[in-house]
Amino acid sequence: MFVPAYALQTNMLDPNLQVTLEYPDVVRPGEKFVLSSIIKATADQVSNITLSISSPEFSSINNTFSLTKLAKDSTFGNNFELAPREDMPDGEFVANAEITYFVKGMFDTNPVKDTFVQAFHLNAQSSPILSFDIQSPSNAFSGEPFSIKGTIKNQGVKAHDVQVVVSSQDINLEGKKSFLLSSLDAGKSSDFEFLVNTPKDLDIPVHAVIHVNGTYTDDLNRSHSIQDSVNIFARQRGMLEIGDANGIWLGTFFIAPVVGVGTIVSSAIGFFIFLWHFKNRKKQKKGKKSGHHP
């Protein structure tokens, strides 16, 4: 099986050559993958170029590419088919890229050989590795919808039948509580969102733990799971409260950014009283100026 996606890149710089390597961010032990290379000449008379990719963790033989000549500012690409050993453990391993070439300078009688080597990291995984990044409000009004957003990322091999659900043992949740994805490729991520609400008839404020649970399978149909959770403080909205429930805790006191209708009305009345006084003062000043004689 060949993995066509390229996610990681290594650049090798030299006064006469530039080499760019592209390869998957996750490879599977015992399975072939493609590493692509692009060679660019930045000097004249570069010849007999050889690029070799090597590692003790590779079992492939097709790891060397040769090019007779490359004109200045020209590029040439090549794909290597490589495979990590079947018995290697999951995790990162190191590979080396070695370039040898000949270049003839202005004062050189014969072309001069040059070599440079650079190491790069590869990540071998035999199973999917999914992780969550979740954002949610910490407070909610009972009966009113709130959003739990997240991103699920795969840092292993391809995952299948991905399902994410939200639930709570502390409080009943209604609304959209599940997310389905047929597959998630290696190195890829997907966003999801749940729009849920707590019961309208919530009698007393509740500190609830909401669980975000995911299940998925690998290529061998083996099941895997992932868990995370968020905390929500749910309470009834006051009769004269408007605004968002997502406030903050200061010690044992909860401060919500809601505003009472009475506060708005009293603020509006105060504003109009201020305007009346302001206009009245202007009239008084004008009256004094017009009544003044030198």
Side-chain angles (χ1 to χ4, degrees):
M1 177 179 176
F2 297 94
V3 182
Y6 304 107
L8 299 180
Q9 190 176 92
T10 293
N11 295 308
M12 304 172 64
L13 302 178
D14 178 84
N16 304 305
L17 283 179
Q18 294 179 2
V19 181
T20 301
L21 305 177
E22 291 184 331
Y23 43 92
D25 56 358
V26 179
V27 298
R28 187 195 293 270
E31 191 170 283
K32 288 182 180 180
F33 69 94
V34 174
L35 180 149
S36 74
S37 65
I38 297 176
I39 301 174
K40 179 180 180 180
T42 56
D44 289 318
Q45 300 193 49
V46 179
S47 61
N48 296 324
I49 305 165
T50 300
L51 170 60
S52 299
I53 309 295
S54 62
S55 172
E57 306 298 340
F58 285 156
S59 59
S60 298
I61 306 213
N62 174 27
N63 66 337
T64 301
F65 165 73
S66 297
L67 189 62
T68 304
K69 188 183 294 184
L70 191 61
K72 183 180 180 182
D73 296 327
S74 297
T75 59
F76 200 93
N78 179 68
N79 288 339
F80 295 92
E81 296 175 5
L82 307 168
R85 293 184 297 105
E86 286 193 22
D87 59 347
M88 71 174 299
D90 289 354
E92 281 197 347
F93 66 97
V94 177
N96 294 306
E98 179 178 315
I99 292 280
T100 61
Y101 65 90
F102 287 82
V103 60
K104 188 175 184 300
M106 185 179 299
F107 303 105
D108 295 327
T109 306
N110 296 308
V112 178
K113 183 178 180 181
D114 199 357
T115 302
F116 64 102
V117 182
Q118 185 164 320
F120 60 97
H121 289 268
L122 289 157
N123 181 21
Q125 299 292 339
S126 57
S127 299
I129 303 176
L130 269 58
S131 60
F132 284 140
D133 180 14
I134 300 173
Q135 304 91 37
S136 74
S138 55
N139 306 278
F141 285 129
S142 58
E144 299 184 15
F146 62 95
S147 175
I148 300 175
K149 298 180 180 181
T151 301
I152 185 168
K153 183 178 181 180
N154 186 5
Q155 295 173 297
V157 297
K158 186 174 185 177
H160 304 274
D161 302 321
V162 180
Q163 181 174 10
V164 184
V165 297
V166 292
S167 62
S168 177
Q169 297 176 344
D170 304 317
I171 197 169
N172 291 325
L173 293 175
E174 301 172 351
K176 182 186 175 183
K177 296 184 290 184
S178 64
F179 169 79
L180 299 175
L181 197 63
S182 60
S183 63
L184 187 61
D185 289 335
K188 301 298 182 181
S189 62
S190 179
D191 296 329
F192 59 86
E193 181 178 9
F194 304 109
L195 192 63
V196 296
N197 59 271
T198 60
K200 293 181 180 179
D201 55 351
L202 193 65
D203 295 329
I204 58 174
V206 175
H207 288 279
V209 178
I210 298 179
H211 300 282
V212 183
N213 296 320
T215 58
Y216 55 96
T217 60
D218 57 26
D219 289 337
L220 300 178
N221 207 30
R222 295 175 298 191
S223 297
H224 303 269
S225 62
I226 176 177
Q227 299 87 30
D228 205 342
S229 64
V230 295
N231 295 306
I232 292 289
F233 176 67
R235 68 178 182 89
Q236 287 280 3
R237 180 191 287 273
M239 291 183 62
L240 299 178
E241 285 183 331
I242 61 174
D244 189 2
N246 192 28
I248 60 172
W249 282 94
L250 291 178
T252 57
F253 297 96
F254 176 73
I255 301 176
V258 294
V259 180
V261 174
T263 302
I264 295 175
V265 172
S266 61
S267 299
I269 292 173
F271 176 70
F272 286 121
I273 291 174
F274 167 77
L275 281 180
W276 182 83
H277 279 291
F278 183 74
K279 288 183 178 180
N280 198 36
R281 285 181 183 177
K282 278 192 171 183
K283 287 181 180 179
Q284 289 177 0
K285 287 182 178 180
K286 286 183 179 179
K288 287 182 180 179
K289 287 183 178 179
S290 61
H292 175 72
H293 298 283

